[in-house]
Amino acid sequence: FERTEPVVFAGVVDSLETQCYDEGLPARGRENWRLSRMFSMGQMAAHYGLPHGYLPSSKLSPELLEQYPVVILPNVSCLPSESGDALLEYVRNGGTLVAAGETATRDETGSPLNGSFLAEAFGITSCVPEGGTHAFSATGEHEAFQGLPWPDEGTAWDPWKGENLPVLGLDLAVRAEASGEEEVLAVFEEGEGPLAGHPAVTVKRVGEGCGVFVAGIPSRWFIRKPVGTNVLSFSRQVVAQLILSLAGD
């Protein structure tokens, strides 16, 4: 056992720059960056059997990144240019890069970025925080949306729509604009205000790898607005199944 090493499939980035220079983030309490963003994505990985570890943002070198089939950016709003370059090299060489929520809108000191990293890695041309928890639905029949538990009518059925479907929600949602170079797998539902119809989950082929953009942090709970009932959200399962479909081999 002395020579054994843990199997790590996904690396979740711990962004010190975001914690220090994103002035919109609370420093303490349940909504602080690590609890509500980083650890939330780590819990998603753990719940769905994806071995994971945490990567300090100061060590995002190509040599380190290549050890991970999947790298996750959990609302990493502040991204140094050298880290962005390393992540682009990683995905071009066959890695799967997943961004959740506001991503790379600022540099390491909190100054606005021009969006070139978002566009190249994910095909996203803008990323504007809207906040709150918002529902989304699939645009097709991708395998990421297969096998979801069907909730019972008493807790999740919306009688005004007449369908009983698995609930999917994203916390800390962002309004993203797509360039057309990516595949849009899901969009925010009608009734979600300025987010309605905007991409919720996208995939872009980048070199030999893939960039996955999720327009928020996958939530565990969702309040059905028409009936005011708190129900389970299965967005974590969707994102985990999408990751496995791209990098599971």
Side-chain angles (χ1 to χ4, degrees), residues 8-9 26 28 46 59 76 84 106-107 110 129 142 208 210 215 218 222 233 237 246-248:
V8 178
F9 177 73
R28 299 178 181 177
K59 297 183 179 180
V76 177
R106 305 173 178 86
D107 66 13
H142 192 278
E208 298 179 6
C210 286
F222 186 79
S233 163
Q237 182 173 340
L246 298 172

Side-chain angles (χ1 to χ4, degrees), residues 187-239:
V187 297
F188 287 105
E189 295 181 354
E190 294 182 11
E192 293 299 335
L195 288 171
H198 284 266
V201 182
T202 67
V203 176
K204 181 189 177 188
R205 178 66 63 179
V206 184
E208 298 179 6
C210 286
V212 176
F213 184 80
V214 183
I217 303 297
S219 61
R220 291 186 64 190
W221 304 97
F222 186 79
I223 297 177
R224 298 290 285 183
K225 295 175 184 177
V227 292
T229 305
N230 199 18
V231 297
L232 285 172
S233 163
F234 299 103
S235 54
R236 286 184 173 187
Q237 182 173 340
V238 166
V239 175

Side-chain angles (χ1 to χ4, degrees), residues 52-68:
H52 70 285
Y54 295 98
L55 303 178
S57 57
S58 60
K59 297 183 179 180
L60 296 183
S61 65
E63 294 75 24
L64 177 64
L65 292 170
E66 69 180 8
Q67 301 176 34
Y68 297 84

